[in-house]
Amino acid sequence: MTSEKLQTGTVLLVDKPLDWTSFQTVNKIKFKLKREFPELPKKFKIGHAGTLDPRATGLLIVCTGKATKQIPEIQEAPKEYFAGIKIGVQTESYDTEKPEILHQDFSHIEEDFIVKTLENFVGEIDQCPPVFSAIKIDGKRAYDLARAGETVEMKSRKTTIHYLQDVKIDLPFVYFTVGCSKGTYIRSLAHDIGSSLGVGAYLTELRRTKIGDFSIEQASSDYLNNDFRFSDHE
């Protein structure tokens, strides 16, 4: 890889680690590139095509140079995730960021009921994003307002679940692969599944596996290693 190629445009498929924000991931790569290629312009363009929550891992597409023009198109592409949820309990953030609350007995919940409940979410659905999300409200991120203790009202939106398959049940945990449209919050999906089951649920793990034609099998976390050199790779 060369500085000319980076400016012409490169698409990096990154396997984002747990507890890294998408912003931190892009900044780490930008810092490494600027250090390895000091001839890059001061306003070198780099950005990601779709945020991943800190508690999620998997495919994060990072574009450089003129390839940043592709970001809106990539963001429109359908996504696929592997998800795990825990039923009978909730968290304020809908994932593992906040502690468990509202424990409920789920001993009466049968596996067939879980499967049928999941099937009901396939298609176009109304979804309310979690308050702990990157959505901007009056110029501020919702999660910043929520963490500051402010009341945040999130508006529901239409989203589409294309498929929900490969369901594995090991109560209180349920695992599945979900394909969805742009703007779908899997944390909200987990919360809504719990509500439909009548016992609550939250997202325990999430891994993005596909964005359009891009797959996690093509991605690497090596870009974030301190000893990785971009100049040694195409």
Side-chain angles (χ1 to χ4, degrees):
M1 193 175 295
T2 64
S3 60
E4 290 79 10
K5 186 173 182 180
L6 288 165
Q7 293 177 74
T8 301
T10 300
V11 176
L12 304 175
L13 305 183
V14 182
D15 187 349
K16 188 191 82 65
L18 186 68
D19 288 332
W20 284 56
T21 67
S22 300
F23 181 77
Q24 287 172 328
T25 303
V26 172
N27 266 8
K28 174 74 171 182
I29 292 173
K30 183 178 182 179
F31 174 79
K32 285 170 59 61
L33 289 173
K34 296 281 279 187
R35 184 177 60 183
E36 189 171 344
F37 302 99
E39 66 274 20
L40 286 171
K42 182 175 288 187
K43 294 186 178 180
F44 170 65
K45 291 184 178 180
I46 184 170
H48 67 77
T51 302
L52 262 182
D53 291 331
R55 298 300 296 168
T57 66
L59 183 59
L60 182 73
I61 298 178
V62 177
C63 300
T64 74
K66 294 180 180 178
T68 55
K69 294 179 181 179
Q70 300 177 34
I71 288 177
E73 179 182 351
I74 295 172
Q75 288 177 326
E76 290 293 329
K79 316 293 191 297
E80 182 185 88
Y81 299 87
F82 171 78
I85 69 173
K86 183 178 180 181
I87 72 169
V89 64
Q90 300 178 50
T91 74
E92 188 181 5
S93 60
Y94 299 177
D95 65 3
T96 58
E97 181 182 340
K98 292 292 185 178
E100 292 185 347
I101 56 174
L102 304 176
H103 290 78
Q104 297 187 61
D105 176 37
F106 61 88
S107 60
H108 60 289
I109 301 293
E110 298 183 354
E111 292 190 5
D112 285 348
F113 179 51
I114 294 174
V115 172
K116 289 178 181 178
T117 299
L118 294 177
E119 290 173 350
N120 289 336
F121 281 89
V122 177
E124 186 178 72
I125 61 173
D126 286 308
Q127 184 181 80
C128 189
V131 294
F132 287 86
S133 65
I135 291 175
K136 284 190 175 182
I137 299 175
D138 296 330
K140 296 182 179 180
R141 298 291 186 185
Y143 55 66
D144 287 331
L145 296 172
R147 287 167 184 154
E150 296 187 30
T151 301
V152 182
E153 290 188 14
M154 308 299 291
K155 296 181 180 179
S156 65
R157 55 176 67 180
K158 297 286 185 182
T159 189
T160 301
I161 304 299
H162 299 299
Y163 55 85
L164 207 161
Q165 59 194 29
D166 300 327
V167 179
K168 295 182 180 178
I169 300 173
D170 184 17
L171 293 177
F173 299 100
V174 180
Y175 304 93
F176 51 84
T177 298
V178 54
C180 57
S181 63
K182 170 193 173 184
T184 303
Y185 282 88
I186 309 302
R187 283 183 290 152
S188 291
L189 178 63
H191 177 81
D192 293 343
I193 289 170
S195 296
S196 292
L197 292 173
V199 295
Y202 74 94
L203 189 67
T204 56
E205 62 179 291
L206 183 67
R207 182 165 178 78
R208 186 155 65 192
T209 51
K210 288 182 182 179
I211 301 176
D213 294 330
F214 298 104
S215 172
I216 189 62
E217 284 77 21
Q218 303 166 287
S220 174
S221 59
D222 290 346
Y223 301 118
L224 305 174
N225 295 340
N226 291 330
D227 57 354
F228 178 87
R229 289 184 57 82
F230 288 89
S231 57
D232 293 336
H233 297 76
E234 291 295 328

